[in-house]
């Protein structure tokens, strides 16, 4: 189990109570009895495969656990979000100004329709920032790729201070653009767009 954050404390009594969010580290991915793993596989199949194709390799990399961590966020016992990130900073996109950056492999709501507008994406991002501090991962930036088909995700990350720093056509899906988005950490200098 990961940390539990209770968002009901200090809430306005007139407002609808917010759910208690729990972040659970996904491990034991090869265990067919592991409920978190079964849920993660179903979410990857339903959400990521239509955008990026087969997710077998991604699930194998999560299982290996050598360079990434994966958390499921639950609200009132239901999985509402996925967070997967690399556990070390890289210079993978140094040529376009993205240096010492932690890659967000996945940060999305498992059912965006009913969960949109509840602040859950913001909580996933906040948990990521807390987890990077807790793990003492030295980095200057965060980066991720977002498909043009996920306009809601593009708008969310732009609202959170991410900038589009590069784009590819046909990177994952023929005829579609994939955007590299990046944001400096609060203690870093501003990001200069290339």
């Amino acid at each position: 189990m990961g940390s539990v954050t209770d968002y009901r404390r200090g809430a306005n009594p007139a407002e609808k109570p917010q759910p208690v969010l729990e972040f659970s580290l996904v491990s034991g991915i090869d265990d067919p009895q592991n409920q978190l793993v079964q849920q993660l596989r179903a979410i990857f199949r339903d959400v990521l495969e239509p955008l990026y194709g087969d997710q077998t390799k991604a699930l194998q990399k999560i299982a290996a656990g050598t360079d990434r961590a994966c958390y499921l966020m639950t609200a009132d016992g239901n999985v509402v979000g996925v967070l997967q990130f690399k556990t070390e900073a890289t210079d993978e996109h140094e040529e376009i100004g993205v240096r010492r950056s932690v890659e967000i492999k996945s940060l999305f709501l498992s059912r965006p329709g009913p969960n949109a507008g509840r602040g859950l994406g913001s909580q996933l991002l906040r948990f990521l920032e807390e987890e990077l501090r807790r793990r003492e991962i030295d980095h200057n930036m965060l980066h991720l790729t977002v498909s043009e088909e996920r306009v809601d995700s593009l708008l969310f990350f732009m609202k959170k201070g991410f900038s589009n720093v590069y784009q590819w056509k046909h990177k994952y899906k023929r005829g579609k653009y994939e955007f590299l988005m990046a944001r400096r950490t609060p203690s870093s200098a501003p990001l200069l767009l290339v």
Side-chain angles (χ1 to χ4, degrees):
M1 282 296 169
S3 63
V4 175
T5 307
D6 186 343
Y7 294 98
R8 293 181 285 198
R9 286 177 277 165
N12 180 342
E15 293 178 6
K16 181 180 173 187
Q18 294 297 309
V20 173
L21 301 177
E22 186 173 327
F23 297 85
S24 301
L25 180 64
V26 177
S27 59
I29 204 158
D30 294 326
D31 178 3
Q33 303 302 313
N34 185 324
Q35 291 295 314
L36 286 177
V37 170
Q38 291 175 10
Q39 291 173 326
L40 180 66
R41 288 182 190 281
I43 291 166
F44 270 41
R45 181 191 64 235
D46 297 343
V47 177
L48 296 181
E49 284 186 9
L51 293 170
Y52 302 112
D54 184 60
Q55 293 297 299
T56 302
K57 287 183 183 177
L59 290 165
Q60 289 170 344
K61 288 180 180 181
I62 293 170
T66 55
D67 71 341
R68 65 194 68 208
C70 183
Y71 289 86
L72 293 182
M73 179 175 68
T74 58
D76 300 327
N78 299 306
V79 175
V80 294
V82 176
L83 169 65
Q84 179 190 177
F85 60 94
K86 294 268 188 113
T87 54
E88 59 184 42
T90 69
D91 291 328
E92 176 184 5
H93 300 291
E94 182 176 24
E95 71 283 356
I96 50 179
V98 179
R99 295 177 191 90
R100 284 189 46 229
S101 184
V102 170
E103 182 179 5
I104 302 170
K105 299 297 289 179
S106 302
L107 189 155
F108 62 89
L109 300 181
S110 55
R111 293 182 5 184
N115 290 317
R118 297 176 58 196
L120 298 174
S122 297
Q123 296 307 325
L124 279 168
L125 190 55
R126 186 172 298 124
F127 178 78
L128 169 63
E129 291 164 345
E130 291 171 5
E131 191 63 12
L132 293 175
R133 277 191 295 280
R134 188 188 72 74
R135 291 172 180 248
E136 298 179 353
I137 298 173
D138 184 29
H139 66 291
N140 288 333
M141 303 178 80
L142 297 173
H143 75 277
L144 70 155
T145 61
V146 180
S147 170
E148 71 175 14
E149 296 180 274
R150 297 307 305 248
V151 174
D152 55 338
S153 295
L154 288 166
L155 294 173
F156 169 80
F157 286 108
M158 288 187 331
K159 181 179 169 185
K160 298 300 177 186
F162 286 77
S163 299
N164 178 21
V165 295
Y166 195 77
Q167 63 188 26
W168 299 270
K169 191 169 187 178
H170 315 300
K171 183 171 175 73
Y172 296 112
K173 198 170 185 182
R174 184 158 179 76
K176 300 295 180 184
Y177 282 98
E178 191 75 18
F179 298 97
L180 175 64
M181 302 185 80
R183 179 184 89 182
R184 293 223 177 260
T185 55
S187 61
S188 302
L191 176 64
L192 298 174
L193 298 178
V194 178

